[in-house]
Amino acid sequence: MYNNGRSIAAKAPASGKECYTIKFIDIILALLFYRSPQVSFCDEEIKEFDTIFNAAIHGDGLIKYTSLFPKQRFLLYISMNKNVLMHGSTQKSIAEFEPRRQTLYNGKYVEAVFATKDGVWPVFYSIFNKDKLAGNFRNGCLETRSGKKFYFFSITKETYMNSPWTQGMIYFLPRESFERARKEIISFDEWISEEPVKPMAKIEVDLTDFYFMDRVSIHKAKEPVLKTWLLYKWRNLFSG
């Protein structure tokens, strides 16, 4: 069994105190955010997904998705079973990713290419047209040391009224030059490469391929981030 490409069995066992801390954090995050999809794949899916992916990386790199299985499941399968990372973009013709100055989740500046091991989070960046942004947007894929992942996606009402959704591309990147930005008890699933990276393959996506399309909430641009987090799930459940 693998977690971000590393054997879970290879991890040093957590202390009793740390185990309780991780469990507590998992409970809190489950109350605030949404858990990652719990999926298993049948033999037919595995065979079909492997065939589609292998054809792309040994061909022109463009995945021509014709499967009857949802594309969401394909993305999850690749993220969980292939030694690749993903990058979502509304730009559909990127031949090579160049390092550029960006901020990590903790605000630290780095000159790097960003990617993630997650199969859900990058779809948001593929379908969100930042030209329609008014104010700010808040989102993330948080992973705890237990391996559980939690998501949140929130935009302003003004952005929502601008109809910000579009089509985009998921790029599959080789993992060799990447390293985890930071791995703590709780951290964002961010990976960075300080070298240019050429994608191995790519697949077009739209809002129907975003697992949490009906879980994007609305926040006020000037409200504190903590308030957005605390009200995120409540807004989805009760405000419509």
Side-chain angles (χ1 to χ4, degrees):
M1 185 175 181
Y2 288 83
N3 176 34
N4 288 333
R6 297 180 182 178
S7 170
I8 290 177
K11 290 183 178 181
S15 65
K17 182 178 180 180
E18 184 175 304
C19 284
Y20 283 116
T21 300
I22 294 170
K23 287 180 180 179
F24 177 74
I25 290 173
D26 284 344
I27 291 171
I28 296 300
L29 292 181
L31 291 173
L32 296 176
F33 308 132
Y34 290 100
R35 277 286 311 276
S36 57
Q38 304 300 297
V39 296
S40 59
F41 304 96
C42 66
D43 292 341
E44 184 180 357
E45 281 181 297
I46 294 172
K47 182 179 179 180
E48 192 162 327
F49 292 163
D50 282 340
T51 299
I52 291 171
F53 188 72
N54 290 335
I57 62 175
H58 292 106
D60 62 6
L62 178 62
I63 296 177
K64 305 168 181 68
Y65 196 78
T66 58
S67 175
L68 295 179
F69 295 111
K71 197 181 294 183
Q72 295 174 354
R73 294 181 62 83
F74 171 76
L75 295 172
L76 287 169
Y77 174 79
I78 298 302
S79 70
M80 295 165 64
N81 295 279
K82 303 296 181 181
N83 193 33
V84 298
L85 300 174
M86 297 186 185
H87 181 102
S89 175
T90 56
Q91 300 181 44
K92 299 182 180 181
S93 302
I94 301 175
E96 183 176 67
F97 289 90
E98 295 284 348
R100 62 186 180 88
R101 186 173 173 80
Q102 303 178 76
T103 57
L104 296 171
Y105 73 94
N106 58 7
K108 179 183 176 181
Y109 280 101
V110 293
E111 192 89 16
V113 177
F114 273 53
T116 179
K117 193 72 180 72
D118 189 70
V120 174
W121 192 19
V123 180
F124 177 82
Y125 285 95
S126 299
I127 65 170
F128 182 62
N129 184 357
K130 292 181 182 178
D131 290 339
K132 302 292 184 72
L133 177 65
N136 55 51
F137 68 100
R138 294 165 178 173
N139 73 103
C141 170
L142 296 166
E143 183 179 19
T144 68
R145 199 162 287 172
S146 68
K148 295 178 180 178
K149 292 184 177 181
F150 304 86
Y151 306 86
F152 64 94
F153 304 93
S154 188
I155 60 178
T156 64
K157 183 178 181 180
E158 292 78 12
T159 299
Y160 172 78
M161 298 302 292
N162 283 340
S163 300
W165 309 117
T166 186
Q167 294 179 327
M169 200 72 74
I170 293 290
Y171 292 89
F172 299 93
L173 310 180
R175 219 181 89 179
E176 285 74 14
S177 65
F178 284 88
E179 62 180 17
R180 187 70 183 260
R182 199 159 185 175
K183 182 64 175 176
E184 300 176 342
I185 290 181
I186 176 173
S187 55
F188 279 67
D189 191 349
E190 291 180 329
W191 295 67
I192 56 174
S193 170
E194 296 180 350
E195 303 174 11
V197 182
K198 291 184 178 180
M200 302 166 59
K202 61 183 181 180
I203 186 171
E204 191 172 37
V205 293
D206 59 35
L207 58 87
T208 64
D209 303 313
F210 183 36
Y211 192 88
F212 292 105
M213 191 65 229
D214 60 347
R215 296 292 183 268
V216 179
S217 70
I218 304 296
H219 69 269
K220 294 181 179 180
K222 294 184 178 180
E223 78 177 23
V225 174
L226 180 58
K227 182 176 180 180
T228 302
W229 290 354
L230 292 174
L231 296 181
Y232 169 66
K233 207 168 185 179
W234 182 90
R235 284 168 170 163
N236 274 302
L237 293 174
F238 300 108
S239 68

